[in-house]
Amino acid sequence: MSDTVAETSAAELLTAVERLREELGDVRRLAQRAEDRGQIENLFSRYMYLHNAFQDEQIIPLWVKEGTDGIRARYTNAGRYTTWESVTRYHRDRPSPVGKLILHATTTPVIEVAGDGETAKGVWLMAGTESGLTDREVAEAFPDMYSPEEVLGKKVWAHWVWCKYAIDFLKQDGEWKIWKFRCYELARAPFEENWVSFGLKNQGAFDLDLMYFGEDGKPVFMPPADEPAPQRNHPYSPETVQKLEPVPPVPHEHFTDTFA
């Protein structure tokens, strides 16, 4: 074999090896992105399982560590929380009252891991039920929230509820953590009423800073927000049109604050 042929064969071999290295790198990156996506979906599902069981104290470690820049949470039009302490306060000392049920089922995730592998974005839909018992005296302040009958001498609130979630995630020390959290309540309705008529008369309730109903059905309100909400959430009303909000994430290389 001539020197020219040998040199050509060696060059072709080197080219083939380089091409294989590039393909292997692409496969590894694709596998890592798929692994990241699965971990993120598990993370938010774990959040929801804990929340449904009133184990919110166990949710706190799912958030980024204290001191992380850019941490944020928003649940209502009352404002948003921008420090680790104020964000995690939502989960502290959350009671598990007798007779209370929360069953929030999330679905339809769209999750995009940034090309740099450092952050990710996800949106979910949620359909669920919420219910509990409230002392008659407490229930007088929220008459539209309750069913006509009583159980065990207490007023019953039993609601359908629908929400949307938009969440940014940050990888810290090799683990995905919740970084920025936004909940959009879309609609709710008592069991005996449809969401159309209830949505028309209940728009103002979405502006309240109600956090949950605690012991004996007493309302517990959100702590003061760190800053006003930059935009208002507009839940379903028979007098408005639906909007694509939040916008599902698209492939991206680096983090951009699309859920602000």
Side-chain angles (χ1 to χ4, degrees), residues 60-61 90 148 173 187 202 209 221 250:
I60 295 175
Y90 177 82
D173 302 323
N202 199 52
D209 55 353
F221 294 93
V250 297

Side-chain angles (χ1 to χ4, degrees), residues 198-225:
F198 191 74
L200 182 62
K201 69 184 181 183
N202 199 52
Q203 290 296 300
F206 292 99
D207 294 333
L208 298 176
D209 55 353
L210 180 67
M211 184 158 54
Y212 54 77
F213 288 101
E215 298 294 343
D216 296 325
K218 294 180 180 178
V220 178
F221 294 93
M222 296 288 291

Side-chain angles (χ1 to χ4, degrees), residues 57-204:
E57 291 281 350
Q58 296 185 52
I59 290 176
I60 295 175
L62 305 184
W63 278 88
V64 291
K65 58 189 176 184
E66 189 171 2
T68 301
D69 289 338
I71 187 172
R72 183 176 72 222
R74 179 183 167 189
Y75 308 94
T76 69
N77 285 333
R80 64 183 180 184
Y81 303 89
T82 58
T83 70
W84 185 87
E85 177 59 36
S86 63
V87 165
T88 58
R89 194 181 302 139
Y90 177 82
H91 302 294
R92 297 186 189 282
D93 303 319
R94 195 177 184 97
S96 180
V98 174
K100 185 172 180 179
L101 171 69
I102 292 179
L103 184 58
H104 293 172
T106 52
T107 183
T108 326
V110 177
I111 301 169
E112 291 286 350
V113 180
D116 60 17
E118 297 179 359
T119 63
K121 309 181 78 66
V123 298
W124 283 260
L125 300 178
M126 184 277 281
T129 55
E130 299 177 353
S131 61
L133 302 174
T134 301
D135 285 350
R136 296 171 184 167
E137 296 78 11
V138 176
E140 291 176 356
F142 302 93
D144 292 335
M145 301 279 284
Y146 294 91
S147 300
E149 72 274 8
E150 294 185 359
V151 173
L152 300 176
K154 295 178 180 289
K155 296 295 292 184
V156 174
W157 60 278
H159 290 186
W160 310 114
V161 59
W162 299 268
C163 293
K164 297 178 286 186
Y165 292 94
I167 306 174
D168 291 313
F169 301 88
L170 181 66
K171 184 176 275 191
Q172 286 189 327
D173 302 323
E175 292 187 38
W176 286 102
K177 300 290 184 178
I178 299 170
W179 184 27
K180 303 175 189 293
F181 188 101
R182 175 78 187 273
C183 175
Y184 304 73
E185 182 161 325
L186 176 61
R188 70 167 54 237
F191 180 79
E192 295 83 6
E193 185 174 0
N194 68 78
W195 53 88
V196 180
S197 60
F198 191 74
L200 182 62
K201 69 184 181 183
N202 199 52
Q203 290 296 300

